Amino acid sequence: LKPAVMTENIRINNPNVKYTDTHIEAQYCYHTSAVRRDGDTLTVTPSVSELEFRTERRVPRLGVMLVGWGGNNGTTVTAAVLANRLGLTWRTKTGEQKANYYGSLFQSSTVCLGPGPDGKEVNIPFRDLLPMVHPNDIVFDGWDISSMDLGSAMERAEVLDWSLQEKLRPHMSCLRPRASIYIPEFIAANQAGRADNILKGTMAEQVEQIRADIQDFRHSSGVEKVIVLWTANTERFCDLTAGVNDTAKNLLAAIQSGGEVSPSTLFAVASILEGCAYINGSPQNTFVPGAIELAVERNVFIAGDDFKSGQTKIKSVLVDFLISAGIKPTSIVSYNHLGNNDGMNLSAPQQFRSKEISKSNVVDDMVNSNPILYRKGEKPDHCVVIKYVPYVGDSKRAMDEYTSEIMMGGTNTIAMHNTCEDSLLASPIILDLVLLTELCQRVCVRPQGSETFQSFHSVLAILSFMCKAPLIPPGAPLVNAYFRQRACIENIMRACLGLPPQNHMHLEHKLQRGFLPRHDNRIYDNVATKMVLSTGYHASQQNGVCAHVVKEATIG
Amino acid sequence: MTENIRINNPNVKYTDTHIEAQYCYHTTAVRRDGDTLTVTPSVSELEFRTERHVPRLGVMLVGWGGNNGTTVTAAVLANRLGLTWRTKTGEQKANYYGSLFQSSTVCLGAGPDGKEVNIPFRDLLPMMHPNDIVFDGWDISSMDLGSAMERAEVLDWSLQEKLRPHMSHLRPRASIYIPEFIAANQAGRADNVLKGTMAEQVEQIRADIQDFRHSSGVDKVIVLWTANTERFCDLTAGVNDTAKNLLAAIQSGGEVSPSTLFAVASILEGCAYINGSPQNTFVPGAIELAVERNVFIAGDDFKSGQTKIKSVLVDFLISAGIKPTSIVSYNHLGNNDGMNLSAPQQFRSKEISKSNVVDDMVNSNPILYHNGEKPDHCVVIKYVPYVGDSKRAMDEYTSEIMMGGTNTIAMHNTCEDSLLASPIILDLVLLTELCQRVCVRPQGSETFQSFHSVLAILSFMCKAPLVPPGAPLVNAYFRQRACIENIMRACLGLPPQNHMHLEHKLQRGFLPRHDNRIYDNVATKRVLSNGYHASQQNGVLRLDGEYL
């Protein structure tokens, strides 16, 4: 294992940002406003909080333990990291394919830092904003109720190209999932056939074994930090019962006495007790109140629920778009069919119910934000159907119909057919979840006037972007809107560098005369190159005023 | 209309006539040295001054009798009169759905209960209400607006019956018709056209604007082209390259398109001019004239249907690290716009306007696209009379996902062309009018300045935004929307939206007590629930009387 050290190549040239050997320390002004209504008048009181952000620069060696390691997501994400680490290429009928991390927010999307000397925006990979673990350096381990080795499990998954599988098999076959917790009543009966690798003993003994597994992995692999992520079967919902799972104490007691505790909650408890962040990628209510309390008590991060990868992700874009454009979605109908093991498990009513609930609240924040379109309590019709169709395998189909009311009683109908490739979309999200969690463990904040730095809240809401049903701290606003969630991550990471939020205003280009100091006056140097008259339309080089106009208009 | 938002901050002053706000504008400059990018943040102090008095606004539409012209006029009348009408599913009220300012909201901050307070976008600053707009306009067809509304086949019949008495006496003024610029199939409509030399026709348009201003009593006139798509105009040195040459070409009868003639007439009258179609109305000479006269121009081509969604979806995909590799857009429509676009030269204008919409997003991601690489992009538009104004857009987006996988999105979108374009017309003129009342003084400068004549803030409503030289071209929907919102917030001295909610993300709150909205309502969440984490269970229970 090569040392996982990455050095950031962004330098902030500002006295408010200090680089020490170990930390990036940034002074930051955080702006909020409080609103008060008196009759018809809204009084808005802006305020500024001065915060100090401190980010550890050293990136640790990270181990990730997956619950459901042998499933489609588990094998695909493991295979993708191996293929990228080894720099594999493979033939397909259309040519040579290289390993990549497309679909990962941090690895494959960019953020704008500002304009360069030529006036053009400089975009950098999202991961380069702050020192982050590179996914190639992640060490994987995990559990599965199926004993199949990862090479065979990859074949069973039918996700990756065969020629890639051939190259990966020697590396994958030696990986074997640890025995997992299996309580038949929580997942569909049709999963029984896979369950040949399960822990025995009392509930408490099983939790102890999971803790021992985490310790064993940490010691044998030499990683400095372990994050545990559930990408196993969707469980049915767990009843919330006073005395059983309402407090940390009761939950721990219920585990000792063998009460109703789901396998995913047992994994969460074991991780928290080991001080390992725990992320729930499925829809069930793993985080019963007692589990959340335990995480808060122990200062351990938890996040969830349910990867936002396909249909729901687009829904959180499209509905936000429509409502933000003043258009009123009145009916949203989502049909899905899939043929992987997730689909088979979801064909049981109780497990489907978990999924249905997770998918159903995704438009609430956007609907509630617009009292012009929706009166109090009004919501669009929203229907979600999921069917198990073995033939389509991992190639999940999502068919959505959005009907909206437009001006004067008109109707806008959008029908969408989306072939989602379930595990190829979920795998980069798994990576984003663990990488952002790891980063958050290295960030702390000191409000002015406070003596001590504090960490993020144990309920790590910044991960909402990757989750269908985000878990958030009490009182926090629930945001599902895709671009707001993305802006949240970007602006918090910018804050760690003392950079203010993205404003998208480009005011320096919108007034009659420039106002930035000369060294910033990037826009004027390249205008002369635009003097040529063109008979085309305003593509980028003609998209504006000709240069002779510029003299008067802009430089003035 | 009086604004009902008050900013409680010493940096914001309300005088009888103005809102004056001190504002810190943040930028960064980036320099590359080898592998290292050095980012230098800087702050510019600006004073924003917004006139509070909202004038009486007149809007003159070129193509007033077309589907957009009649629909937007009818919608404003119906809203002003508070009309309701029966449909088979019940009673329908007039509304402005699809208007950014009238029907969408912005978040002002958190109220005392900790919940976000959302207000109509139009209430951020004093803006015209669309009900108060007075319409007038030109059309090459003489048909009155009542009959033209019927011809358009857009609005419910029972609404048309209620509106007809109000619409029938509205008659478009004679317009400029130069057959070679639009499709030959439009000749049959052209029974209301100006005669005389090109220069005389421009004079007549100017006289029309003056006549409308005086007879209607409006304080301000904005002219907007919602007429036929023209073919592109050759850019020729000596003809349209400078303001002087363009004015000379008009005098001598050179190649100047009707839309450019309207633009010139408007600019000479000091009226902002907005181009809602794709052609290159704004030849360099027209832009120079606007800059010289300090008149706003904006365009091109309403972004209402397929392209609007494209500027959302492609931004979404690329911003998620997914690589769109092929975008294919089929359209069919049966209104007069579709008939005109069935001619190759006019289609070409539209095709170009639609083709560049993903460029900014593609160029922003060098991880997915190497230099010069672009997705395949194909646009087809067909004229199918039966579907009328109910435009169909069928798109296929094929994207490369991880490890060579493919994501395919096929979309069928029934767009209702004029019902989507009409609220955008309103947004364009209302935002233009507002911009005419805003000026900015950078610190150290003696004088206030207005926005640049090329009003790029209107990009949000345009398929192919016209921007000042050197300005970055932004097509991405949510970035464009954030631009408008943050500039309007700046006029109130409010910083940009940050979407961070940091006060909810740390272990302990840090806002001063009067801001401590989140702690008071936690106790109400003590009840255990057997449901999932809907809002009332979506978080930590309060167990010990202290914030966790």
Side-chain angles (χ1 to χ4, degrees):
Chain A
L1 186 79
K2 62 175 181 167
V5 177
M6 241 186 84
T7 50
E8 69 274 23
N9 54 4
I10 309 292
R11 281 287 156 157
I12 309 301
N13 175 26
N14 189 303
N16 291 330
V17 183
K18 263 189 254 167
Y19 291 81
T20 71
D21 284 348
T22 52
H23 290 89
I24 303 172
E25 295 170 358
Q27 305 298 324
Y28 185 76
C29 289
Y30 177 64
H31 293 265
T32 51
S33 26
V35 185
R36 213 166 284 279
R37 180 182 292 279
D38 303 296
D40 279 347
T41 302
L42 290 170
T43 304
V44 182
T45 308
S47 63
V48 182
S49 308
E50 288 180 35
L51 305 174
E52 181 179 352
F53 280 81
R54 200 172 67 179
T55 308
E56 233 181 290
R57 296 175 69 182
R58 187 177 163 282
V59 171
R61 285 196 291 179
L62 176 65
V64 172
M65 298 187 82
L66 300 175
V67 191
W69 196 19
N72 287 19
N73 287 339
T75 55
T76 303
V77 71
T78 306
V81 165
L82 275 171
N84 275 281
R85 185 192 300 158
L86 299 166
L88 291 188
T89 62
W90 63 99
R91 260 313 285 223
T92 71
K93 62 184 177 186
T94 54
E96 185 150 86
Q97 177 70 42
K98 273 186 207 160
N100 63 38
Y101 286 118
Y102 288 1
S104 158
L105 178 75
F106 294 112
Q107 308 311 311
S108 297
S109 88
T110 56
V111 289
C112 179
L113 272 187
D118 61 355
K120 289 193 184 148
E121 295 192 334
V122 177
N123 294 286
I124 59 159
F126 211 135
R127 62 160 182 260
D128 286 345
L129 265 185
L130 289 173
M132 288 184 85
V133 173
H134 194 286
N136 286 0
D137 300 325
I138 294 175
V139 183
F140 281 100
D141 199 309
W143 301 266
D144 205 289
I145 58 170
S146 161
S147 64
M148 196 179 273
D149 72 82
L150 262 72
S152 307
M154 167 178 71
E155 191 174 332
R156 177 179 61 184
E158 300 181 3
V159 172
L160 296 168
D161 285 341
W162 183 251
S163 51
L164 173 61
Q165 288 191 36
E166 288 182 318
K167 294 194 176 189
L168 281 170
R169 192 167 300 105
H171 306 279
M172 297 280 286
S173 296
C174 58
L175 303 173
R176 289 190 177 276
R178 298 167 192 263
S180 191
I181 301 175
Y182 178 53
I183 308 180
E185 55 158 319
F186 278 93
I187 56 176
N190 60 34
Q191 298 299 308
R194 277 170 91 114
D196 65 353
N197 189 39
I198 58 181
L199 290 176
K200 300 198 175 61
T202 66
M203 203 174 260
E205 285 165 353
Q206 296 191 25
V207 169
E208 283 310 308
Q209 181 56 49
I210 301 300
R211 295 186 63 177
D213 288 341
I214 295 173
Q215 291 164 16
D216 174 65
F217 170 57
R218 186 185 270 130
H219 298 140
S220 61
S221 68
V223 298
E224 296 158 276
K225 197 186 269 189
V226 174
I227 294 173
V228 179
L229 181 144
W230 177 280
T231 179
N233 273 318
T234 294
E235 297 172 336
R236 70 159 170 81
F237 263 69
C238 200
D239 281 348
L240 300 188
T241 313
V244 175
N245 49 25
D246 56 342
T247 68
K249 201 176 146 202
N250 289 341
L251 179 61
L252 292 174
I255 291 171
Q256 290 304 320
S257 64
E260 168 164 294
V261 185
S262 68
S264 66
T265 301
L266 295 175
F267 271 99
V269 167
S271 302
I272 293 164
L273 293 177
E274 287 302 311
C276 297
Y278 185 86
I279 300 164
N280 176 30
S282 290
Q284 71 274 344
N285 61 343
T286 299
F287 298 119
V288 294
I292 297 174
E293 188 185 29
L294 189 66
V296 171
E297 278 177 10
R298 304 282 173 132
N299 258 321
V300 175
F301 287 150
I302 55 172
D305 296 325
D306 208 4
F307 306 132
K308 185 160 84 165
S309 58
Q311 186 181 45
T312 303
K313 196 168 181 179
I314 288 199
K315 193 177 287 178
S316 72
V317 172
L318 271 187
V319 174
D320 188 24
F321 153 61
L322 291 166
I323 294 178
S324 77
I327 292 172
K328 180 183 180 177
T330 45
S331 153
I332 303 168
V333 185
S334 297
Y335 300 100
N336 301 261
H337 55 277
L338 72 170
N340 56 21
N341 190 51
D342 183 28
M344 187 156 94
N345 181 59
L346 289 176
S347 64
Q350 282 190 309
Q351 284 67 34
F352 170 69
R353 181 72 190 135
S354 294
K355 196 78 181 178
E356 188 182 41
I357 294 172
S358 160
K359 280 177 164 258
S360 68
N361 293 323
V362 67
V363 301
D364 289 359
D365 58 324
M366 303 166 245
V367 167
N368 292 335
S369 76
N370 194 322
I372 305 171
L373 298 178
Y374 300 95
R375 63 182 132 66
K376 207 168 183 313
E378 187 185 2
K379 284 183 183 194
D381 294 342
H382 192 181
C383 174
V384 177
V385 174
I386 303 179
K387 288 294 168 190
Y388 176 53
V389 177
Y391 177 76
V392 302
D394 206 66
S395 190
K396 188 173 176 179
R397 312 295 207 273
M399 295 186 287
D400 292 80
E401 188 194 70
Y402 299 84
T403 312
S404 304
E405 190 177 336
I406 58 176
M407 202 179 71
M408 307 300 280
T411 303
N412 173 239
T413 306
I414 298 173
M416 184 184 261
H417 184 284
N418 187 0
T419 309
C420 285
E421 303 298 341
D422 217 8
S423 304
L424 291 179
L425 289 175
S427 293
I429 289 170
I430 290 175
L431 297 173
D432 289 335
L433 282 164
V434 296
L435 297 181
L436 184 53
T437 301
E438 193 288 315
L439 170 64
C440 289
Q441 290 172 333
R442 286 182 286 116
V443 173
C444 57
V445 183
R446 189 174 63 81
Q448 202 189 30
S450 168
E451 296 283 302
T452 52
F453 280 87
Q454 53 173 307
S455 167
F456 287 109
H457 193 282
S458 278
V459 176
L460 201 54
I462 192 176
L463 268 60
S464 297
F465 178 79
M466 296 94 176
C467 299
K468 276 198 193 74
L471 190 75
I472 52 176
L478 180 62
V479 178
N480 286 300
Y482 172 92
F483 283 101
R484 289 189 72 188
Q485 292 175 329
R486 191 180 189 275
C488 173
I489 298 175
E490 181 178 1
N491 287 336
I492 288 180
M493 284 176 68
R494 287 172 62 95
C496 295
L497 294 169
L499 295 175
Q502 292 283 16
N503 60 49
H504 304 294
M505 291 162 76
H506 295 302
L507 258 186
E508 63 277 28
H509 296 286
K510 288 202 167 61
L511 301 185
Q512 291 180 316
R513 293 178 296 279
F515 56 83
L516 294 181
R518 185 66 202 175
H519 68 276
D520 263 349
N521 243 356
R522 342 170 188 87
I523 63 167
Y524 308 126
D525 302 322
N526 67 330
V527 173
T529 62
K530 301 194 180 171
M531 290 198 67
V532 184
L533 273 180
S534 159
T535 42
Y537 188 51
H538 52 173
S540 47
Q541 73 275 24
Q542 300 120 28
N543 214 337
V545 186
C546 285
H548 57 273
V549 176
V550 172
K551 280 187 214 136
E552 305 172 30
T554 313
I555 296 172
Chain B
M1 220 186 108
T2 51
E3 69 275 24
N4 53 6
I5 309 294
R6 284 286 156 159
I7 309 301
N8 175 26
N9 189 304
N11 292 330
V12 183
K13 261 189 253 164
Y14 292 81
T15 71
D16 284 348
T17 54
H18 291 89
I19 304 171
E20 294 169 358
Q22 305 299 323
Y23 186 75
C24 289
Y25 177 63
H26 293 264
T27 52
T28 46
V30 185
R31 213 166 282 278
R32 181 183 291 279
D33 303 298
D35 279 350
T36 303
L37 290 170
T38 305
V39 182
T40 308
S42 64
V43 183
S44 307
E45 286 181 36
L46 305 173
E47 182 178 350
F48 280 81
R49 201 173 66 180
T50 308
E51 231 181 291
R52 297 175 68 182
H53 174 70
V54 173
R56 283 195 294 176
L57 176 65
V59 172
M60 298 188 81
L61 300 175
V62 192
W64 195 19
N67 287 19
N68 287 340
T70 54
T71 304
V72 71
T73 306
V76 165
L77 276 170
N79 275 283
R80 187 191 299 156
L81 299 165
L83 291 188
T84 61
W85 63 100
R86 257 317 280 225
T87 70
K88 65 184 175 186
T89 53
E91 185 149 88
Q92 176 70 41
K93 274 188 208 160
N95 63 38
Y96 286 117
Y97 288 2
S99 159
L100 178 75
F101 294 112
Q102 308 312 310
S103 298
S104 89
T105 55
V106 288
C107 179
L108 270 187
D113 59 356
K115 288 194 185 148
E116 295 192 334
V117 177
N118 294 287
I119 59 159
F121 212 136
R122 62 161 183 261
D123 287 345
L124 264 186
L125 290 173
M127 286 183 88
M128 276 288 301
H129 195 285
N131 286 0
D132 301 326
I133 294 175
V134 184
F135 281 100
D136 200 311
W138 302 267
D139 205 289
I140 58 171
S141 161
S142 63
M143 195 179 272
D144 73 82
L145 262 72
S147 306
M149 167 177 70
E150 192 174 331
R151 176 180 60 184
E153 301 182 0
V154 172
L155 296 167
D156 285 343
W157 183 250
S158 51
L159 172 60
Q160 288 191 37
E161 288 183 318
K162 295 194 174 186
L163 281 170
R164 192 168 300 106
H166 306 279
M167 298 279 285
S168 295
H169 65 273
L170 302 174
R171 288 189 180 275
R173 298 166 192 262
S175 191
I176 301 175
Y177 177 52
I178 308 179
E180 54 159 318
F181 278 93
I182 57 175
N185 60 34
Q186 299 299 307
R189 277 170 90 115
D191 65 353
N192 189 39
V193 300
L194 290 176
K195 298 197 177 62
T197 66
M198 203 175 259
E200 286 165 353
Q201 296 192 27
V202 168
E203 284 310 308
Q204 182 56 48
I205 300 301
R206 294 186 62 176
D208 287 342
I209 295 173
Q210 290 163 17
D211 174 66
F212 171 57
R213 186 184 271 131
H214 298 140
S215 62
S216 67
V218 296
D219 304 311
K220 195 186 270 188
V221 175
I222 293 173
V223 180
L224 181 144
W225 178 280
T226 180
N228 272 318
T229 294
E230 298 173 336
R231 70 159 169 81
F232 263 69
C233 201
D234 281 347
L235 301 188
T236 314
V239 175
N240 50 25
D241 55 341
T242 68
K244 203 177 143 202
N245 289 342
L246 180 61
L247 293 175
I250 292 172
Q251 289 305 320
S252 63
E255 169 166 292
V256 184
S257 67
S259 67
T260 301
L261 295 174
F262 271 100
V264 167
S266 303
I267 293 164
L268 293 176
E269 287 301 312
C271 297
Y273 184 86
I274 299 164
N275 177 30
S277 290
Q279 71 275 342
N280 60 342
T281 299
F282 297 119
V283 293
I287 297 174
E288 190 186 25
L289 189 67
V291 171
E292 278 177 12
R293 305 281 173 134
N294 258 322
V295 176
F296 286 151
I297 55 172
D300 299 323
D301 206 5
F302 305 132
K303 184 160 85 169
S304 58
Q306 186 182 45
T307 303
K308 196 168 181 178
I309 287 199
K310 193 177 287 178
S311 72
V312 171
L313 271 188
V314 175
D315 189 23
F316 153 61
L317 290 167
I318 294 179
S319 77
I322 293 170
K323 180 182 180 179
T325 44
S326 154
I327 304 168
V328 184
S329 297
Y330 301 99
N331 300 261
H332 55 275
L333 72 171
N335 56 20
N336 191 51
D337 183 27
M339 188 156 92
N340 180 59
L341 289 177
S342 63
Q345 283 191 307
Q346 284 67 36
F347 169 69
R348 180 72 190 136
S349 294
K350 196 77 181 178
E351 189 182 38
I352 295 172
S353 159
K354 281 177 164 256
S355 67
N356 292 323
V357 67
V358 302
D359 290 359
D360 58 323
M361 301 164 246
V362 168
N363 292 335
S364 77
N365 194 322
I367 305 172
L368 298 179
Y369 300 95
H370 56 73
N371 206 355
E373 186 185 2
K374 283 184 181 191
D376 294 341
H377 192 181
C378 174
V379 177
V380 174
I381 303 179
K382 289 292 169 191
Y383 175 53
V384 177
Y386 176 77
V387 302
D389 206 65
S390 190
K391 186 173 176 179
R392 311 296 206 273
M394 295 185 288
D395 293 80
E396 188 195 70
Y397 299 84
T398 312
S399 303
E400 190 178 336
I401 58 175
M402 203 180 71
M403 306 298 280
T406 304
N407 174 240
T408 306
I409 298 173
M411 185 184 260
H412 183 284
N413 188 359
T414 308
C415 285
E416 304 298 339
D417 218 9
S418 304
L419 292 178
L420 288 176
S422 292
I424 289 170
I425 290 174
L426 297 172
D427 289 334
L428 281 164
V429 298
L430 298 180
L431 183 53
T432 301
E433 193 289 311
L434 171 64
C435 288
Q436 290 172 334
R437 287 184 283 115
V438 173
C439 57
V440 183
R441 189 175 63 81
Q443 201 189 31
S445 167
E446 296 284 300
T447 53
F448 280 88
Q449 53 173 309
S450 167
F451 287 109
H452 192 282
S453 279
V454 176
L455 201 54
I457 193 176
L458 269 61
S459 296
F460 178 79
M461 297 92 175
C462 299
K463 275 197 194 75
L466 191 73
V467 294
L473 181 63
V474 177
N475 287 300
Y477 171 92
F478 282 101
R479 289 188 71 189
Q480 292 175 329
R481 190 180 192 276
C483 174
I484 299 175
E485 180 177 2
N486 287 336
I487 289 180
M488 285 176 68
R489 287 172 63 94
C491 295
L492 295 169
L494 295 175
Q497 292 283 15
N498 61 49
H499 303 295
M500 291 162 74
H501 295 304
L502 259 187
E503 63 275 29
H504 296 287
K505 287 198 167 63
L506 300 185
Q507 290 180 315
R508 295 178 296 278
F510 57 83
L511 293 181
R513 187 65 203 175
H514 67 275
D515 263 349
N516 243 355
R517 350 178 181 82
I518 64 167
Y519 309 127
D520 303 321
N521 66 331
V522 174
T524 62
K525 301 192 178 172
R526 296 195 67 160
V527 183
L528 274 179
S529 159
N530 277 322
Y532 188 50
H533 52 173
S535 47
Q536 73 275 24
Q537 300 120 29
N538 215 337
V540 185
L541 293 172
R542 182 188 169 107
L543 300 156
D544 54 7
E546 278 199 57
Y547 181 61
L548 297 171

